[in-house]
Amino acid sequence: MSDKTAFHEALVDLTAQLAGKPLDAALAQLLNTAHGPTSATYERLREACIQGAREGWLCEREGGGIRYGRVFKPEDALHRFSVDVVDMQNIAGPHHTHPQGEIDLIMPLEGEALFDGHPAGWCVYPPGSAHHPTVARGRALVLYLLPEGQIQFTR
């Protein structure tokens, strides 16, 4: 995968498999089984995220020690998911809620990085959930899929 267009195409295929499914523990299990850290999907997305961050079309913003950016807004081709990628190292991000849930792909880069206690792979938050996204024990890229791009930061 060499660029933003190829990254988009890979995400179109992935989001097609997510469309209409409830965001719950069963979806996390399905993603980790079909697209977990030993899969071609995981490796393709991880390499694209590393390359995109290096080239500057991913994680192009910085705030509070976190590099981040929305790569794609919700669109029909992505089955109404937005796509964000963050680069975090031993830090907690701003508290927020997920009105329609959140699907996260955790890609450790340094150390034994965990995202909210989860190792490499997928984590799914149900609608109405909230958290301080936290990377501990290293550095990781995290890809977020948000239905309709919905996220609400709390104060």
Side-chain angles (χ1 to χ4, degrees):
M1 200 176 321
S2 60
D3 61 13
K4 194 172 179 178
T5 302
F7 184 53
H8 185 273
E9 289 170 7
L11 290 165
V12 166
D13 293 341
L14 178 66
T15 58
Q17 298 171 47
L18 305 174
K21 289 189 170 49
L23 275 61
D24 58 15
L27 181 59
Q29 184 174 2
L30 172 79
L31 284 164
N32 279 306
T33 300
H35 304 291
T38 60
S39 73
T41 303
Y42 177 91
E43 194 55 38
R44 189 167 54 247
L45 292 173
R46 183 178 182 278
E47 289 304 315
C49 288
I50 291 169
Q51 181 175 344
R54 187 180 327 121
E55 293 175 357
W57 53 267
L58 281 182
C59 306
E60 71 278 10
R61 297 184 175 92
E62 193 275 329
I66 299 170
R67 298 201 58 79
Y68 65 96
R70 176 152 289 179
V71 193
F72 304 113
K73 294 180 178 175
E75 60 179 80
D76 290 344
L78 293 172
H79 303 88
R80 306 306 306 165
F81 286 96
S82 63
V83 180
D84 298 82
V85 178
V86 298
D87 184 341
M88 300 172 67
Q89 182 169 359
N90 298 319
I91 193 167
H95 188 269
H96 61 268
T97 61
H98 318 115
Q100 295 188 39
E102 177 180 271
I103 300 170
D104 304 323
L105 175 58
I106 303 141
M107 301 167 281
L109 297 177
E110 296 172 9
E112 303 270 325
L114 300 174
F115 175 77
D116 288 356
H118 298 275
W122 296 89
C123 160
V124 177
Y125 287 94
S129 58
H131 66 147
H132 278 282
T134 303
V135 170
R137 299 190 347 195
R139 177 177 167 219
L141 290 173
V142 182
L143 182 149
Y144 297 92
L145 299 173
L146 294 163
E148 294 297 339
Q150 292 193 9
I151 186 169
Q152 294 177 340
F153 289 95
T154 51
R155 294 183 185 251

